[in-house]
Amino acid sequence: MVIDTSDLGFCQNILNGVAKPVIQVRTDRTIEMINDAALDILNISRDQAVGQKCDLLFRTDDCEGGECAILRAMREKRKIESETIAHIRGNDIPIRYYASPLCNESGEVIGAVEYFEDISDLKKKEEDLKLVKEKMQGVLNGVATPVIAIDINQKITHINKAGADLFQKHPEDLIGSFCHTLFNTDVCQGKNCATMRSIREQRIITEETVAHIGEKNIPILITATPIIDDQGICTGAVEFIINLTEQKAAIQAFLP
């Protein structure tokens, strides 16, 4: 196939207009085209990059073993997305990258195009959020009575150790569960429980009910408080649960 060099220049100009790093490789992963954004990350010239194997320049964790997105895209003839770590100039850079196969008019794979984005900021935010959640979980675990947080769909987003102990589970095992399937209280059905009313009415609701957990029927007092974000939108609620078994037994003991 004869390629007009002027077409290559036009393609290169287009690639240079893309803010994300982009490379085009042959089937052996030799770089044929690379844009300015990719060169900036590598800190080399285009002449130094073209003709090099992409795996030798970007040195990602996916590069070894034939499972990088580029090789998979060419092998499977489809777009592949992946996350990995690129090791460039002594820096470990988390990236999300996308590879698409290039085919000729006969449908034969002749190479691939890959672009990627630095997700360092995203990973930093995820790590910060993880630390916040761990700190929050530590605070919740310090509360001796069950505490749970749910979203507007009644899925548990947080539960402390005292709450998880009711089900003989670890807190992390219960995240994502529907609270009504766990506590199965007398008011769970019909979305008229304290928690759903608290979310709907955006106020604190307290009520007594009975939770049916396994073979146990446990009288409880629930105080539900809505969670309101900075925009004034209710995103869920927090439940504070007190086991009333001892109080009920004490009252019963005084009754004739």
Side-chain angles (χ1 to χ4, degrees):
M1 180 172 59
V2 178
I3 300 177
D4 189 335
T5 56
S6 63
D7 290 339
L8 289 178
F10 178 70
C11 290
Q12 185 64 66
N13 288 335
I14 292 177
L15 290 184
N16 288 340
V18 179
K20 303 292 185 182
V22 182
I23 62 172
Q24 180 261 311
V25 301
R26 294 196 292 264
T27 54
D28 63 356
R29 291 194 285 184
T30 298
I31 295 173
E32 285 191 312
M33 301 185 73
I34 183 169
N35 73 344
D36 290 343
L39 292 173
D40 287 343
I41 288 180
L42 294 170
N43 195 30
I44 59 176
S45 69
R46 182 165 286 105
D47 288 341
Q48 291 174 308
V50 172
Q52 293 282 345
K53 297 291 183 68
C54 61
D55 57 308
L56 297 179
L57 293 179
F58 293 97
R59 300 183 181 277
T60 75
D61 291 346
D62 284 355
C63 284
E64 302 299 328
E67 288 304 314
C68 73
I70 279 184
L71 289 178
R72 289 181 57 202
M74 292 190 291
R75 183 172 67 242
E76 301 173 24
K77 291 188 176 183
R78 65 184 182 92
K79 182 179 178 179
I80 299 292
E81 174 183 344
S82 183
E83 285 188 15
T84 187
I85 305 293
H87 306 283
I88 302 172
R89 305 196 318 272
N91 297 315
D92 300 327
I93 307 171
I95 63 170
R96 179 181 293 121
Y97 68 118
Y98 312 80
S100 298
L102 287 177
C103 299
N104 61 19
E105 294 178 355
S106 302
E108 296 175 306
V109 174
I110 59 173
V113 173
E114 174 185 287
Y115 75 93
F116 63 89
E117 53 188 345
D118 184 338
I119 56 174
S120 298
D121 290 343
L122 176 61
K123 290 299 182 181
K124 178 65 166 58
K125 290 178 181 178
E126 289 178 351
E127 186 62 28
D128 290 345
L129 180 60
K130 180 182 177 182
L131 292 175
V132 170
K133 286 183 175 180
E134 289 176 351
K135 184 176 181 179
M136 182 185 299
Q137 189 65 50
V139 172
L140 290 177
N141 287 343
V143 180
T145 194
V147 179
I148 67 171
I150 67 167
D151 62 19
I152 59 174
N153 297 311
Q154 295 181 283
K155 284 188 176 182
I156 294 174
T157 57
H158 296 86
I159 183 168
N160 69 346
K161 186 177 184 300
D165 284 347
L166 290 173
F167 310 97
Q168 298 182 333
K169 298 279 189 179
H170 295 292
E172 58 269 21
D173 295 332
L174 298 175
I175 302 302
S177 301
F178 288 102
C179 61
H180 58 83
T181 63
L182 294 176
F183 290 92
N184 192 28
T185 74
D186 290 344
V187 293
C188 275
Q189 304 305 318
K191 294 188 176 181
N192 205 38
C193 66
T195 306
M196 293 309 294
R197 287 171 56 204
S198 174
I199 292 173
R200 187 168 60 247
E201 300 172 22
Q202 296 195 18
R203 65 185 181 92
I204 298 174
I205 302 286
T206 298
E207 70 178 0
E208 287 189 24
T209 186
V210 177
H212 305 285
I213 301 174
E215 298 180 355
K216 297 179 180 179
N217 300 317
I218 307 172
I220 59 175
L221 178 70
I222 299 174
T223 299
T225 303
I227 301 171
I228 310 297
D229 67 14
D230 293 338
Q231 284 72 46
I233 298 172
C234 185
T235 60
V238 175
E239 278 187 8
F240 184 84
I241 303 167
I242 298 176
N243 188 335
L244 298 177
T245 301
E246 292 183 1
Q247 291 92 325
K248 293 289 185 182
I251 293 172
Q252 191 67 31
F254 282 100
L255 294 177

